[in-house]
Structures are given as structure tokens and as C-alpha cells.
């Protein structure tokens, strides 16, 4: 028997003010047979959870056959397409979100462009948390944005609970590349925070020694060295583009807690002090 088509969506009634994590909108649809979206790109994160039926999702040159109990993530500026099955069209819920913490939280949940699909089986909390985000947005009120963000964080935590525990056997073969990409993404988004190898390993769900070993094998650098270079490069950009900031403020903005240590490392990379580099850029 053909399921009747349905579609509902609700936007967040409160503007995005803090920028860390923000739900843009949420919805649910029983799609028509063969309903197709894309190829297209979005400028925000869009996460779907399949409630029933089946369909296909295409991203980064890979095609995934999806069914009830699976969740898939679309990242910003990623060319994707998805379509419901002709005979068993899917019903799904979705949440669109953005913010400075979005990439790191998605990575914690185990979702990325390299691994955009999770099988959550028959876990009833996943679908319920998707529904809760939509419900609080419909209720509205001055705290709608906080409630929706709270449910989204609970949802990402629930998804992340299925990731490997630290010390468990790591993925083999080409999947190691995905582990290194997750680590690079984590460092690239969290460089300004007081992060550590322990924190990254715990967030990504891998043993610290294993993560450090495969990272160096693939990149030629340890994660610590990679992070230092990220911070130095960000500071160099700020020295060029933000003349109103002091060297101390730039150091802090790039993740350095000690301005003297920053100056020493900057000189090691570029052969001059941050102040001398800034002066050279001014004269160009």
C-alpha cells in the first residue's frame, strides 16, 4: 500500500546570537516514490535519520544504499544528491545546523565527509531526539534556540556512543586515512582552544599512541607539530590582517597561552620576531 505523501518543516524563531552551535530548522517527510534532491550543495550541516523505507545517498563520489535506522550527514559546500526508492520510498527526519562547534561535534558523533553514514539500528532515542528538536521549535518562545541546541547535543552524544572505545582495535586498510582526516579536521577547527593529544584521542575514540603513530605515518608530522604549525600560520595571518591587535592578543587568538613562547616559535619558523614580521608587511 502506497504511503501518503507528507512534509513539514519549522525554522528556529530565535536568531543565531552565540555562534557555537545553532539549529537552523528541522522537519519530517514521507517522500513520494523516486523523490530526488540534487545534485546540489548546502552552506550548512544537514543531518537526516531514516524512519522507514529506503533510498540512496551520493557524496564524494560514493553511493550509499540506506534503510530505516540509518543516519546520514551532509557537510557545507559538499556536492550531494539523494533519492527515495521507487517501490519503498523513505520517511525521514532532518536537522539543519551550523556554528563553530558543528564540525567537532559531528566528528565526535562519527560523521564526516569520509564517513557520512551511521547505522543506529533500532535505537529508539535517535528518532525521538530528532523529533524533539522539531517539537521545541514549534513550541517557540525565547528559549527555543537553547532547547533545540540542547536536544541536538544529546543527539550527537547518542550517535557518538556507538563509536569505538579508546584502545579498541582501530579500523584497517584505507579506513586509516579517514582516521587521519578526522584528526586533521579536529585540529583545524579547535586550534584556538587548549586542546591536547589526550583530548583529541578521547573525542575521536582512538588510543592516543595509535592515533599519533598513524598520523605521523600519513603526514610526516606528529599531531603536536601539526597543531603548532596551524597556530603559527593563523597568527601570521592575523599579524598581516589585524593591525589593531597586539602581539599578545594575536598569540591568544591563535591558541598560544604564553606570548613569549609564541614569539620564540614564530622566530623559529620565520627567522624574525612577530613584531618585525608585521613591520615588514606594513612596508609592502
Amino acid at each position: 500500500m502506497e504511503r501518503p505523501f507528507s512534509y513539514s518543516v519549522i525554522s528556529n524563531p530565535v536568531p543565531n546570537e552565540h555562534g557555537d552551535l545553532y539549529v537552523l530548522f528541522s522537519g519530517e517527510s514521507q517522500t513520494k516514490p523516486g523523490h530526488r534532491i540534487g545534485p546540489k550543495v548546502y552552506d550548512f550541516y544537514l543531518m537526516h535519520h531514516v524512519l522507514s523505507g529506503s533510498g540512496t545517498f551520493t557524496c564524494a563520489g560514493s553511493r550509499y544504499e540506506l534503510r530505516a535506522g540509518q543516519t546520514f550527514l551532509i557537510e557545507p559546500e559538499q556536492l550531494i544528491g539523494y533519492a527515495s526508492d521507487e517501490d519503498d520510498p523513505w520517511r525521514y527526519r532532518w536537522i539543519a545546523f551550523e556554528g563553530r562547534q558543528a564540525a567537532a561535534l559531528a566528528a565526535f558523533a562519527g560523521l564526516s565527509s569520509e564517513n557520512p553514514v551511521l547505522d543506529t539500528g533500532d535505537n529508539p532515542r535517535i528518532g525521538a531526539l530528532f523529533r524533539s528538536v522539531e517539537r521545541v521549535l514549534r513550541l517557540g518562545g525565547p528559549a527555543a534556540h537553547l532547547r533545540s541546541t540542547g536536544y541536538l547535543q544529546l543527539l550527537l552524544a547518542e550517535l557518538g556512543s556507538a563509536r569505538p572505545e579508546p584502545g579498541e582495535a582501530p579500523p584497517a586498510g584505507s579506513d586509516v586515512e579517514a582516521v587521519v582526516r578526522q584528526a586533521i579536521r579536529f585540529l583545524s577547527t579547535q586550534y584556538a582552544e587548549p586542546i591536547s593529544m589526550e583530548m583529541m584521542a578521547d573525542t575521536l575514540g582512538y588510543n592516543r599512541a595509535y592515533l599519533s603513530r598513524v598520523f605521523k605515518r600519513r603526514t610526516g608530522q606528529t599531531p603536536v607539530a601539526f597543531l603548532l604549525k596551524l597556530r603559527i600560520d593563523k597568527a601570521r595571518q592575523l599579524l598581516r590582517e589585524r593591525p589593531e591587535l597586539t602581539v599578545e592578543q594575536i598569540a591568544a587568538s591563535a591558541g598560544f597561552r604564553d606570548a613569549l613562547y609564541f614569539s620564540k616559535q614564530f622566530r623559529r619558523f620565520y627567522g624574525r620576531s612577530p613584531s618585525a614580521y608585521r613591520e615588514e608587511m606594513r612596508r609592502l
Side-chain angles (χ1 to χ4, degrees):
M1 184 179 69
E2 185 175 324
R3 303 184 185 97
F5 167 73
S6 64
Y7 178 89
S8 64
V9 65
I10 182 69
S11 296
N12 196 330
V14 179
N16 184 1
E17 296 175 347
H18 56 80
D20 289 330
L21 187 66
Y22 175 78
V23 175
L24 291 161
F25 56 86
S26 181
E28 178 178 337
S29 178
Q30 170 59 63
T31 62
K32 295 178 179 179
H35 173 72
R36 183 176 301 276
I37 294 178
K40 65 181 296 185
V41 298
Y42 295 95
D43 59 2
F44 46 79
Y45 288 85
L46 185 59
M47 183 167 58
H48 290 71
H49 180 66
V50 184
L51 299 169
S52 62
S54 60
T56 60
F57 172 55
T58 304
C59 105
S62 297
R63 186 172 184 270
Y64 303 86
E65 301 279 348
L66 302 183
R67 63 186 184 281
Q70 292 185 300
T71 298
F72 65 97
L73 178 71
I74 299 167
E75 293 188 322
E77 309 307 329
Q78 185 178 59
L79 184 64
I80 55 84
Y82 49 110
S84 62
D85 188 78
E86 290 284 357
D87 300 318
D88 188 20
W90 53 16
R91 173 174 163 243
Y92 48 42
R93 291 178 179 146
W94 65 85
I95 300 171
F97 60 97
E98 62 183 9
R100 290 185 293 267
Q101 294 181 352
L105 290 172
F108 174 83
L111 289 164
S112 66
S113 57
E114 295 80 22
N115 183 43
V117 176
L118 285 180
D119 191 340
T120 55
D122 58 358
N123 184 345
R125 282 180 55 79
I126 303 300
L129 287 166
F130 269 86
R131 179 70 182 89
S132 294
V133 171
E134 182 180 359
R135 180 175 57 82
V136 298
L137 292 180
R138 290 195 180 281
L139 289 173
H145 64 305
L146 296 176
R147 291 193 176 100
S148 62
T149 297
Y151 279 120
L152 175 58
Q153 289 176 319
L154 288 172
L155 171 59
L156 294 169
E158 189 72 20
L159 292 171
S161 67
R163 75 190 197 282
E165 291 296 325
E168 286 187 5
S174 61
D175 287 344
V176 170
E177 299 292 343
V179 174
V180 175
R181 291 192 190 99
Q182 286 181 26
I184 290 174
R185 180 181 296 276
F186 178 87
L187 294 171
S188 298
T189 57
Q190 301 296 307
Y191 67 87
E193 304 301 322
I195 58 177
S196 64
M197 268 301 299
E198 291 82 359
M199 181 188 300
M200 182 174 73
D202 181 63
T203 299
L204 299 182
Y206 298 106
N207 175 270
R208 174 187 171 180
Y210 164 77
L211 188 58
S212 184
R213 184 170 64 252
V214 299
F215 190 98
K216 185 171 183 180
R217 189 160 64 229
R218 292 299 189 275
T219 68
Q221 304 177 74
T222 65
V224 172
F226 184 89
L227 176 59
L228 175 61
K229 186 63 165 59
L230 272 177
R231 287 171 167 168
I232 289 290
D233 286 346
K234 181 60 178 179
R236 186 168 65 129
Q237 177 189 349
L238 292 173
L239 286 166
R240 292 195 308 266
E241 300 177 1
R242 299 295 301 273
E244 78 278 11
L245 297 179
T246 67
V247 170
E248 290 76 14
Q249 289 168 338
I250 286 174
S253 299
F256 292 96
R257 297 299 178 263
D258 185 332
L260 291 177
Y261 175 75
F262 161 62
S263 295
K264 179 180 178 181
Q265 294 301 320
F266 191 93
R267 185 183 292 274
R268 183 167 72 87
F269 276 90
Y270 294 109
R272 59 188 69 87
S273 69
S275 298
Y277 175 82
R278 168 178 270 175
E279 186 59 32
E280 285 181 17
M281 293 300 103
R282 283 176 179 165
R283 291 198 298 266
L284 291 179

